[in-house]
mmCIF file of all heavy atoms in Angstrom:
data_model
loop_
_atom_site.group_PDB
_atom_site.id
_atom_site.type_symbol
_atom_site.label_atom_id
_atom_site.label_comp_id
_atom_site.label_asym_id
_atom_site.label_seq_id
_atom_site.Cartn_x
_atom_site.Cartn_y
_atom_site.Cartn_z
ATOM 1 N N LYS A 1 35.382 76.949 46.534
ATOM 2 C CA LYS A 1 34.366 78.066 46.097
ATOM 3 C C LYS A 1 32.875 77.653 46.372
ATOM 4 O O LYS A 1 32.117 78.477 46.822
ATOM 5 C CB LYS A 1 34.542 78.267 44.574
ATOM 6 C CG LYS A 1 35.862 79.028 44.210
ATOM 7 C CD LYS A 1 35.915 79.156 42.653
ATOM 8 C CE LYS A 1 37.217 79.791 42.310
ATOM 9 N NZ LYS A 1 37.306 79.963 40.774
ATOM 10 N N ALA A 2 32.639 76.285 46.169
ATOM 11 C CA ALA A 2 31.283 75.821 46.521
ATOM 12 C C ALA A 2 30.988 76.099 47.936
ATOM 13 O O ALA A 2 29.947 76.465 48.426
ATOM 14 C CB ALA A 2 31.172 74.327 46.134
ATOM 15 N N LEU A 3 31.981 75.703 48.857
ATOM 16 C CA LEU A 3 31.864 75.937 50.289
ATOM 17 C C LEU A 3 31.573 77.357 50.630
ATOM 18 O O LEU A 3 30.799 77.650 51.455
ATOM 19 C CB LEU A 3 33.025 75.352 50.986
ATOM 20 C CG LEU A 3 33.243 73.840 51.048
ATOM 21 C CD1 LEU A 3 34.643 73.519 51.573
ATOM 22 C CD2 LEU A 3 32.254 73.234 51.920
ATOM 23 N N ALA A 4 32.383 78.233 50.023
ATOM 24 C CA ALA A 4 32.230 79.645 50.308
ATOM 25 C C ALA A 4 30.864 80.209 49.934
ATOM 26 O O ALA A 4 30.242 80.984 50.589
ATOM 27 C CB ALA A 4 33.367 80.423 49.581
ATOM 28 N N LYS A 5 30.348 79.725 48.690
ATOM 29 C CA LYS A 5 29.011 80.153 48.242
ATOM 30 C C LYS A 5 28.022 79.664 49.181
ATOM 31 O O LYS A 5 26.990 80.386 49.501
ATOM 32 C CB LYS A 5 28.816 79.567 46.865
ATOM 33 C CG LYS A 5 27.549 80.054 46.137
ATOM 34 C CD LYS A 5 27.691 81.444 45.658
ATOM 35 C CE LYS A 5 26.389 81.890 44.884
ATOM 36 N NZ LYS A 5 26.581 83.232 44.285
ATOM 37 N N ALA A 6 28.127 78.392 49.544
ATOM 38 C CA ALA A 6 27.097 77.801 50.508
ATOM 39 C C ALA A 6 27.144 78.550 51.858
ATOM 40 O O ALA A 6 26.020 78.712 52.416
ATOM 41 C CB ALA A 6 27.339 76.339 50.687
ATOM 42 N N ARG A 7 28.264 78.894 52.356
ATOM 43 C CA ARG A 7 28.372 79.601 53.667
ATOM 44 C C ARG A 7 27.630 81.014 53.484
ATOM 45 O O ARG A 7 26.887 81.520 54.409
ATOM 46 C CB ARG A 7 29.741 79.797 54.133
ATOM 47 C CG ARG A 7 30.322 78.562 54.861
ATOM 48 C CD ARG A 7 31.596 78.971 55.671
ATOM 49 N NE ARG A 7 32.644 79.143 54.642
ATOM 50 C CZ ARG A 7 33.487 78.238 54.209
ATOM 51 N NH1 ARG A 7 33.436 76.991 54.687
ATOM 52 N NH2 ARG A 7 34.483 78.501 53.375
ATOM 53 N N LYS A 8 27.894 81.573 52.412
ATOM 54 C CA LYS A 8 27.355 82.967 52.149
ATOM 55 C C LYS A 8 25.784 82.881 52.106
ATOM 56 O O LYS A 8 25.189 83.717 52.672
ATOM 57 C CB LYS A 8 27.846 83.531 50.896
ATOM 58 C CG LYS A 8 27.355 84.927 50.568
ATOM 59 C CD LYS A 8 27.925 85.476 49.264
ATOM 60 C CE LYS A 8 27.451 86.879 48.919
ATOM 61 N NZ LYS A 8 28.019 87.367 47.689
ATOM 62 N N LEU A 9 25.280 81.847 51.413
ATOM 63 C CA LEU A 9 23.836 81.698 51.278
ATOM 64 C C LEU A 9 23.142 80.952 52.457
ATOM 65 O O LEU A 9 21.923 80.841 52.493
ATOM 66 C CB LEU A 9 23.462 81.010 49.995
ATOM 67 C CG LEU A 9 23.873 81.768 48.747
ATOM 68 C CD1 LEU A 9 23.671 80.973 47.497
ATOM 69 C CD2 LEU A 9 23.256 83.088 48.632
ATOM 70 N N LYS A 10 24.064 80.395 53.331
ATOM 71 C CA LYS A 10 23.583 79.455 54.425
ATOM 72 C C LYS A 10 22.647 78.351 53.892
ATOM 73 O O LYS A 10 21.554 78.076 54.370
ATOM 74 C CB LYS A 10 22.801 80.300 55.443
ATOM 75 C CG LYS A 10 23.635 81.441 56.137
ATOM 76 C CD LYS A 10 22.794 82.212 57.186
ATOM 77 C CE LYS A 10 23.784 83.241 57.842
ATOM 78 N NZ LYS A 10 22.944 84.010 58.771
ATOM 79 N N CYS A 11 23.260 77.683 52.872
ATOM 80 C CA CYS A 11 22.515 76.601 52.296
ATOM 81 C C CYS A 11 23.473 75.328 52.081
ATOM 82 O O CYS A 11 24.708 75.519 52.296
ATOM 83 C CB CYS A 11 22.048 76.960 50.805
ATOM 84 S SG CYS A 11 23.265 77.188 49.549
ATOM 85 N N PRO A 12 22.924 74.186 51.780
ATOM 86 C CA PRO A 12 23.799 73.009 51.632
ATOM 87 C C PRO A 12 24.487 72.983 50.286
ATOM 88 O O PRO A 12 24.162 73.690 49.346
ATOM 89 C CB PRO A 12 22.741 71.894 51.715
ATOM 90 C CG PRO A 12 21.416 72.485 51.835
ATOM 91 C CD PRO A 12 21.437 73.920 51.533
ATOM 92 N N VAL A 13 25.445 72.025 50.239
ATOM 93 C CA VAL A 13 26.164 71.644 48.999
ATOM 94 C C VAL A 13 25.780 70.182 48.676
ATOM 95 O O VAL A 13 25.741 69.385 49.606
ATOM 96 C CB VAL A 13 27.707 71.685 49.177
ATOM 97 C CG1 VAL A 13 28.436 71.118 47.977
ATOM 98 C CG2 VAL A 13 28.211 73.175 49.381
ATOM 99 N N ILE A 14 25.420 69.943 47.511
ATOM 100 C CA ILE A 14 24.973 68.661 47.091
ATOM 101 C C ILE A 14 25.909 67.980 46.112
ATOM 102 O O ILE A 14 26.452 68.692 45.229
ATOM 103 C CB ILE A 14 23.541 68.641 46.420
ATOM 104 C CG1 ILE A 14 23.026 67.175 46.219
ATOM 105 C CG2 ILE A 14 23.365 69.456 45.243
ATOM 106 C CD1 ILE A 14 21.614 67.085 45.828
ATOM 107 N N VAL A 15 26.218 66.648 46.288
ATOM 108 C CA VAL A 15 26.955 65.909 45.354
ATOM 109 C C VAL A 15 26.150 64.669 45.007
ATOM 110 O O VAL A 15 25.142 64.245 45.718
ATOM 111 C CB VAL A 15 28.296 65.490 46.017
ATOM 112 C CG1 VAL A 15 29.212 66.548 46.101
ATOM 113 C CG2 VAL A 15 28.106 64.678 47.278
ATOM 114 N N ALA A 16 26.413 64.055 43.822
ATOM 115 C CA ALA A 16 25.690 62.909 43.435
ATOM 116 C C ALA A 16 25.977 61.674 44.303
ATOM 117 O O ALA A 16 25.061 60.992 44.723
ATOM 118 C CB ALA A 16 25.986 62.615 41.925
ATOM 119 N N LYS A 17 27.258 61.452 44.543
ATOM 120 C CA LYS A 17 27.734 60.335 45.373
ATOM 121 C C LYS A 17 28.834 60.732 46.280
ATOM 122 O O LYS A 17 29.477 61.747 46.017
ATOM 123 C CB LYS A 17 28.194 59.186 44.418
ATOM 124 C CG LYS A 17 27.193 58.471 43.649
ATOM 125 C CD LYS A 17 27.849 57.393 42.809
ATOM 126 C CE LYS A 17 26.794 56.543 42.002
ATOM 127 N NZ LYS A 17 25.882 55.796 42.940
ATOM 128 N N LEU A 18 28.938 60.063 47.469
ATOM 129 C CA LEU A 18 29.895 60.486 48.431
ATOM 130 C C LEU A 18 31.355 60.501 47.922
ATOM 131 O O LEU A 18 32.127 61.328 48.247
ATOM 132 C CB LEU A 18 29.852 59.534 49.663
ATOM 133 C CG LEU A 18 30.641 59.879 50.877
ATOM 134 C CD1 LEU A 18 30.310 61.266 51.404
ATOM 135 C CD2 LEU A 18 30.551 58.879 51.976
ATOM 136 N N ASP A 19 31.662 59.594 46.930
ATOM 137 C CA ASP A 19 33.072 59.534 46.438
ATOM 138 C C ASP A 19 33.405 60.748 45.515
ATOM 139 O O ASP A 19 34.504 60.954 45.147
ATOM 140 C CB ASP A 19 33.298 58.260 45.743
ATOM 141 C CG ASP A 19 32.504 58.052 44.426
ATOM 142 O OD1 ASP A 19 31.730 58.898 44.052
ATOM 143 O OD2 ASP A 19 32.632 56.993 43.900
ATOM 144 N N ARG A 20 32.318 61.568 45.138
ATOM 145 C CA ARG A 20 32.665 62.806 44.421
ATOM 146 C C ARG A 20 33.222 63.794 45.369
ATOM 147 O O ARG A 20 33.926 64.746 44.913
ATOM 148 C CB ARG A 20 31.330 63.278 43.765
ATOM 149 C CG ARG A 20 30.820 62.379 42.685
ATOM 150 C CD ARG A 20 31.772 62.071 41.636
ATOM 151 N NE ARG A 20 32.639 60.965 41.915
ATOM 152 C CZ ARG A 20 33.854 60.715 41.412
ATOM 153 N NH1 ARG A 20 34.365 61.531 40.478
ATOM 154 N NH2 ARG A 20 34.553 59.648 41.732
ATOM 155 N N LEU A 21 33.064 63.614 46.614
ATOM 156 C CA LEU A 21 33.710 64.561 47.595
ATOM 157 C C LEU A 21 35.098 63.918 47.819
ATOM 158 O O LEU A 21 36.136 64.554 47.653
ATOM 159 C CB LEU A 21 32.972 64.575 48.911
ATOM 160 C CG LEU A 21 31.803 65.453 48.911
ATOM 161 C CD1 LEU A 21 31.027 65.328 50.296
ATOM 162 C CD2 LEU A 21 32.076 66.844 48.612
ATOM 163 N N SER A 22 35.151 62.661 48.238
ATOM 164 C CA SER A 22 36.384 61.979 48.535
ATOM 165 C C SER A 22 36.111 60.494 48.833
ATOM 166 O O SER A 22 35.002 60.146 49.198
ATOM 167 C CB SER A 22 37.146 62.621 49.607
ATOM 168 O OG SER A 22 38.309 61.925 50.028
ATOM 169 N N ARG A 23 37.222 59.640 48.724
ATOM 170 C CA ARG A 23 37.126 58.249 49.227
ATOM 171 C C ARG A 23 37.947 58.153 50.513
ATOM 172 O O ARG A 23 38.216 57.092 51.019
ATOM 173 C CB ARG A 23 37.685 57.359 48.201
ATOM 174 C CG ARG A 23 36.782 57.276 46.906
ATOM 175 C CD ARG A 23 37.335 56.142 45.994
ATOM 176 N NE ARG A 23 36.466 55.851 44.833
ATOM 177 C CZ ARG A 23 36.535 56.480 43.726
ATOM 178 N NH1 ARG A 23 37.450 57.439 43.477
ATOM 179 N NH2 ARG A 23 35.717 56.175 42.763
ATOM 180 N N ASP A 24 38.310 59.328 51.095
ATOM 181 C CA ASP A 24 39.137 59.322 52.272
ATOM 182 C C ASP A 24 38.393 59.813 53.430
ATOM 183 O O ASP A 24 37.859 60.976 53.475
ATOM 184 C CB ASP A 24 40.455 60.196 52.020
ATOM 185 C CG ASP A 24 41.406 60.214 53.228
ATOM 186 O OD1 ASP A 24 42.084 59.249 53.435
ATOM 187 O OD2 ASP A 24 41.240 61.205 54.043
ATOM 188 N N VAL A 25 38.311 59.019 54.501
ATOM 189 C CA VAL A 25 37.390 59.358 55.645
ATOM 190 C C VAL A 25 37.932 60.612 56.301
ATOM 191 O O VAL A 25 37.089 61.358 56.852
ATOM 192 C CB VAL A 25 37.281 58.207 56.622
ATOM 193 C CG1 VAL A 25 38.553 57.817 57.295
ATOM 194 C CG2 VAL A 25 36.203 58.384 57.651
ATOM 195 N N ALA A 26 39.253 60.790 56.482
ATOM 196 C CA ALA A 26 39.821 62.002 57.146
ATOM 197 C C ALA A 26 39.463 63.178 56.374
ATOM 198 O O ALA A 26 39.163 64.289 57.001
ATOM 199 C CB ALA A 26 41.269 61.807 57.152
ATOM 200 N N PHE A 27 39.376 63.217 55.065
ATOM 201 C CA PHE A 27 39.051 64.345 54.275
ATOM 202 C C PHE A 27 37.639 64.676 54.404
ATOM 203 O O PHE A 27 37.215 65.771 54.589
ATOM 204 C CB PHE A 27 39.298 64.109 52.826
ATOM 205 C CG PHE A 27 39.155 65.289 51.889
ATOM 206 C CD1 PHE A 27 39.964 66.464 51.929
ATOM 207 C CD2 PHE A 27 38.069 65.378 51.009
ATOM 208 C CE1 PHE A 27 39.786 67.498 51.157
ATOM 209 C CE2 PHE A 27 37.843 66.467 50.216
ATOM 210 C CZ PHE A 27 38.692 67.581 50.255
ATOM 211 N N ILE A 28 36.801 63.590 54.465
ATOM 212 C CA ILE A 28 35.312 63.726 54.675
ATOM 213 C C ILE A 28 35.073 64.368 56.058
ATOM 214 O O ILE A 28 34.257 65.313 56.142
ATOM 215 C CB ILE A 28 34.608 62.431 54.559
ATOM 216 C CG1 ILE A 28 34.605 61.899 53.188
ATOM 217 C CG2 ILE A 28 33.112 62.587 55.008
ATOM 218 C CD1 ILE A 28 33.898 62.641 52.147
ATOM 219 N N SER A 29 35.828 63.957 57.042
ATOM 220 C CA SER A 29 35.698 64.534 58.363
ATOM 221 C C SER A 29 35.970 65.986 58.451
ATOM 222 O O SER A 29 35.344 66.782 59.078
ATOM 223 C CB SER A 29 36.565 63.688 59.360
ATOM 224 O OG SER A 29 36.436 64.164 60.630
ATOM 225 N N GLY A 30 37.121 66.328 57.641
ATOM 226 C CA GLY A 30 37.426 67.777 57.638
ATOM 227 C C GLY A 30 36.360 68.531 57.012
ATOM 228 O O GLY A 30 36.114 69.708 57.473
ATOM 229 N N LEU A 31 35.781 68.051 55.900
ATOM 230 C CA LEU A 31 34.635 68.876 55.227
ATOM 231 C C LEU A 31 33.560 69.049 56.164
ATOM 232 O O LEU A 31 32.828 70.084 56.137
ATOM 233 C CB LEU A 31 34.245 68.079 53.976
ATOM 234 C CG LEU A 31 35.214 68.074 52.850
ATOM 235 C CD1 LEU A 31 34.656 67.254 51.704
ATOM 236 C CD2 LEU A 31 35.561 69.446 52.364
ATOM 237 N N MET A 32 33.267 68.002 57.031
ATOM 238 C CA MET A 32 32.130 68.173 57.937
ATOM 239 C C MET A 32 32.357 69.218 58.985
ATOM 240 O O MET A 32 31.310 69.779 59.606
ATOM 241 C CB MET A 32 31.815 66.795 58.659
ATOM 242 C CG MET A 32 31.433 65.637 57.824
ATOM 243 S SD MET A 32 29.996 65.850 56.839
ATOM 244 C CE MET A 32 30.668 66.067 55.167
ATOM 245 N N SER A 33 33.541 69.659 59.195
ATOM 246 C CA SER A 33 33.886 70.703 60.168
ATOM 247 C C SER A 33 33.768 72.086 59.520
ATOM 248 O O SER A 33 34.022 73.132 60.166
ATOM 249 C CB SER A 33 35.253 70.487 60.700
ATOM 250 O OG SER A 33 36.314 70.676 59.732
ATOM 251 N N GLN A 34 33.371 72.192 58.292
ATOM 252 C CA GLN A 34 33.409 73.456 57.534
ATOM 253 C C GLN A 34 32.061 74.242 57.799
ATOM 254 O O GLN A 34 31.862 75.282 57.267
ATOM 255 C CB GLN A 34 33.443 73.177 55.936
ATOM 256 C CG GLN A 34 34.848 72.646 55.537
ATOM 257 C CD GLN A 34 35.917 73.709 55.678
ATOM 258 O OE1 GLN A 34 35.690 74.903 55.356
ATOM 259 N NE2 GLN A 34 37.126 73.240 55.954
ATOM 260 N N LYS A 35 31.229 73.640 58.636
ATOM 261 C CA LYS A 35 29.929 74.279 58.995
ATOM 262 C C LYS A 35 29.034 74.490 57.865
ATOM 263 O O LYS A 35 28.286 75.499 57.714
ATOM 264 C CB LYS A 35 30.205 75.542 59.784
ATOM 265 C CG LYS A 35 30.976 75.473 61.095
ATOM 266 C CD LYS A 35 31.062 76.683 61.905
ATOM 267 C CE LYS A 35 31.873 76.531 63.102
ATOM 268 N NZ LYS A 35 31.416 75.506 63.998
ATOM 269 N N VAL A 36 29.108 73.593 56.867
ATOM 270 C CA VAL A 36 28.272 73.614 55.640
ATOM 271 C C VAL A 36 27.713 72.246 55.585
ATOM 272 O O VAL A 36 28.377 71.183 55.676
ATOM 273 C CB VAL A 36 29.104 73.926 54.392
ATOM 274 C CG1 VAL A 36 28.175 73.735 53.126
ATOM 275 C CG2 VAL A 36 29.633 75.383 54.408
ATOM 276 N N ARG A 37 26.433 72.231 55.438
ATOM 277 C CA ARG A 37 25.797 70.905 55.312
ATOM 278 C C ARG A 37 25.945 70.330 53.890
ATOM 279 O O ARG A 37 25.868 70.936 52.872
ATOM 280 C CB ARG A 37 24.173 71.024 55.511
ATOM 281 C CG ARG A 37 23.413 69.697 55.485
ATOM 282 C CD ARG A 37 21.959 69.979 55.492
ATOM 283 N NE ARG A 37 21.204 68.693 55.309
ATOM 284 C CZ ARG A 37 19.983 68.564 54.910
ATOM 285 N NH1 ARG A 37 19.294 69.663 54.658
ATOM 286 N NH2 ARG A 37 19.446 67.434 54.780
#
């Protein structure tokens, strides 16, 4: 939902620390392909 909202507003998503997204590099890589900063 956060990604969808950010795409709609053409704005970034912010997290406090990288591990709040994930500790898995493959998952992080997949998120980077979502065209959301």
Side-chain angles (χ1 to χ4, degrees):
K1 290 179 181 179
L3 288 168
K5 185 74 173 185
R7 274 194 293 267
K8 181 179 180 180
L9 298 177
K10 296 181 179 180
C11 72
V13 173
I14 185 171
V15 293
K17 291 181 175 292
L18 187 59
D19 65 4
R20 294 305 83 201
L21 287 177
S22 176
R23 292 186 173 91
D24 181 79
V25 67
F27 186 70
I28 295 292
S29 180
L31 289 178
M32 296 301 107
S33 68
Q34 294 288 325
K35 300 186 184 301
V36 171
R37 182 188 175 202

